[in-house]
Amino acid sequence: MISAPPGRVRMDPGTRREQLLALGVRLLSTRSLDELSIEMLAEEAGISRGLLYHYFGNKQDFHRAVVRKAADDLIRVTAPVREGEPLERLATSLDAYVDYVGANYAGYVSLVRGAASGNPDLMQIYDEARAALTDRIFDTAGADGVLSALALEDSPEVRLMVRGWSAMAEDVVIAWVRDHRGVSREDLLTMLAAALPGVLSGTP
Amino acid sequence: MISAPPGRVRMDPGTRREQLLALGVRLLSTRSLDELSIEMLAEEAGISRGLLYHYFGNKQDFHRAVVRKAADDLIRVTAPVREGEPLERLATSLDAYVDYVGANYAGYVSLVRGAASGNPDLMQIYDEARAALTDRIFDTAGADGVLSALALEDSPEVRLMVRGWSAMAEDVVIAWVRDHRGVSREDLLTMLAAALPGVLSGTP
């Protein structure tokens, strides 16, 4: 049995694991997934590698857990507010999304890259996160939703183009965070919000 | 010295290399880059592995050459026609793009994945191809161009959103080729073309 180092408060394993994952995500904000090793996390957390392997199994499981935590964080911090017009709520959510990508650039790029890596586990985490973000557009499809605000009904064509809008937002925000090229944050947000009705304008 | 197999016409090395690359791209249309080995190409071409290594150096150089050839093919087959209104020319180019992705699905996904793999060589090839495709929007920025047809001037904001439109088109076409979900090709093309002015509608 491994005892807690002196001076540390003993925590239950679930809480400790969550804390280690949060540290992993923090480390991922300034480095890629490939650069994030169990050794590095152990050193930063001040615990043994052995204990980390106890929590996360192997490097692949560790990476999967960190990427899933990053995806969960993204979904949580960009959760739309409950008040306001549908398109205002979308703008608030986009605002939080730009903040998140700005604060977690490397980690977010790792999430996107994971999706394209061919690693089925990372692809699945990304697909789920993307679906959770996109489904918000359809979430309140009734009188209160974005779609009805745009006078549109749910259809395969609308789903396809909302997916495309989401891919556009991802690409544009990553490019903007990397290099603003003189584009203001306000203009960025205005353009992204206006692009949703724009992208949907050609749906039958 | 390696002599040509009996019955084969002897070719100059440049032509032979091009022919082998075209075979590589053809093989890539139904399998991922990871699955495309020098051994497989040698077997399909009916020549020795040694001769292939003579042409392509190592596996990494071989993959890079095949992906570059695929990117060049994509740029060539989607070259806009010279006649017609700017937005009609764009529609023709999109039509060819959908054909290309349909006929070369796995190879195209490999190109996109290569971009996200973190492999700097593949990222560069993808970035160049994407830039070549996107620059067409700005190519004839004068009286005859897409931008002036949309009453827009070149700016960092417009560049950013054209880039986003291109990411959207890529994502939507890949998703559509994988599973049409009842969306007709005609509607797909109409929606993608209409999305360009739509995406640009919020630029300042």
Side-chain angles (χ1 to χ4, degrees):
Chain A
M1 190 186 141
I2 299 156
S3 56
R8 256 171 222 278
V9 178
R10 189 186 293 264
M11 284 180 267
D12 72 89
T15 310
R16 187 65 179 136
R17 190 173 185 277
E18 278 304 302
Q19 206 185 47
L20 290 168
L21 279 179
L23 176 60
V25 172
R26 220 153 52 234
L27 292 172
L28 203 59
S29 69
T30 52
R31 51 180 65 71
S32 74
L33 200 56
D34 279 347
E35 292 163 345
L36 179 65
S37 63
I38 285 195
E39 288 70 23
M40 178 185 292
L41 186 71
E43 191 173 322
E44 291 284 332
I47 62 176
S48 72
R49 291 196 307 162
L51 185 53
L52 273 179
Y53 279 108
H54 167 74
Y55 280 115
F56 298 111
N58 57 39
K59 186 178 172 175
Q60 205 179 9
D61 288 346
F62 167 55
H63 278 176
R64 189 166 43 216
V66 172
V67 168
R68 181 170 295 281
K69 167 86 174 154
D72 289 347
D73 287 351
L74 170 65
I75 292 166
R76 188 172 39 74
V77 302
T78 60
V81 291
R82 289 281 147 205
E83 291 98 53
E85 294 298 308
L87 290 176
E88 279 172 33
R89 297 202 308 263
L90 180 67
T92 310
S93 192
L94 278 171
D95 199 34
Y97 175 66
V98 172
D99 274 345
Y100 181 85
V101 179
N104 300 278
Y105 180 74
Y108 186 68
V109 171
S110 282
L111 176 65
V112 173
R113 282 210 180 133
S117 65
N119 177 321
D121 290 331
L122 298 185
M123 282 167 81
Q124 197 193 338
I125 295 171
Y126 173 83
D127 282 346
E128 284 171 13
R130 172 76 89 80
L133 296 174
T134 309
D135 281 354
R136 288 173 183 167
I137 307 288
F138 300 96
D139 233 9
T140 45
D144 200 29
V146 170
L147 282 193
S148 64
L150 300 174
L152 286 167
E153 283 179 29
D154 198 347
S155 72
E157 289 80 8
V158 167
R159 294 241 159 209
L160 188 62
M161 295 309 280
V162 166
R163 182 200 157 101
W165 173 80
S166 171
M168 183 213 68
E170 178 183 287
D171 187 84
V172 164
V173 171
I174 287 177
W176 184 81
V177 168
R178 198 187 304 134
D179 182 354
H180 291 198
R181 292 177 200 272
V183 177
S184 74
R185 183 191 170 92
E186 198 188 338
D187 282 344
L188 175 74
L189 290 168
T190 304
M191 293 190 299
L192 290 177
L196 180 61
V199 159
L200 294 168
S201 62
T203 52
Chain B
M1 191 187 139
I2 300 157
S3 56
R8 255 172 223 280
V9 178
R10 189 187 293 264
M11 283 181 269
D12 72 273
T15 309
R16 186 66 178 137
R17 190 172 184 279
E18 279 304 302
Q19 204 184 49
L20 289 168
L21 279 178
L23 176 59
V25 172
R26 220 154 51 233
L27 292 172
L28 203 59
S29 68
T30 51
R31 54 180 63 72
S32 73
L33 200 56
D34 279 347
E35 293 164 343
L36 179 64
S37 63
I38 285 194
E39 288 69 24
M40 179 186 292
L41 186 71
E43 192 173 321
E44 290 285 332
I47 62 177
S48 72
R49 291 195 308 161
L51 185 54
L52 273 179
Y53 279 108
H54 167 74
Y55 279 115
F56 298 111
N58 55 41
K59 185 177 172 175
Q60 206 179 8
D61 289 346
F62 167 56
H63 278 175
R64 189 166 42 215
V66 172
V67 168
R68 180 169 296 281
K69 168 82 174 157
D72 289 346
D73 286 351
L74 169 64
I75 293 167
R76 189 172 40 75
V77 301
T78 61
V81 290
R82 290 281 145 205
E83 291 97 54
E85 294 298 308
L87 291 175
E88 278 172 35
R89 296 203 307 263
L90 180 68
T92 310
S93 190
L94 277 171
D95 199 36
Y97 174 66
V98 172
D99 274 344
Y100 182 85
V101 179
N104 300 278
Y105 181 72
Y108 186 69
V109 171
S110 283
L111 176 65
V112 173
R113 283 211 180 133
S117 65
N119 176 322
D121 290 331
L122 298 186
M123 283 168 81
Q124 197 195 337
I125 295 171
Y126 173 81
D127 283 346
E128 285 171 10
R130 172 76 87 82
L133 296 174
T134 309
D135 281 352
R136 287 172 184 169
I137 307 290
F138 300 97
D139 233 8
T140 46
D144 200 29
V146 170
L147 283 192
S148 64
L150 301 173
L152 285 166
E153 282 178 30
D154 198 348
S155 72
E157 289 82 5
V158 167
R159 293 241 162 210
L160 188 62
M161 295 309 281
V162 166
R163 183 200 155 100
W165 173 79
S166 172
M168 183 213 69
E170 179 183 285
D171 187 84
V172 165
V173 171
I174 286 176
W176 183 82
V177 168
R178 198 187 304 132
D179 183 354
H180 292 198
R181 291 177 200 274
V183 177
S184 74
R185 183 193 170 93
E186 196 187 338
D187 282 344
L188 175 75
L189 290 169
T190 304
M191 295 190 298
L192 290 177
L196 181 60
V199 159
L200 293 168
S201 62
T203 52

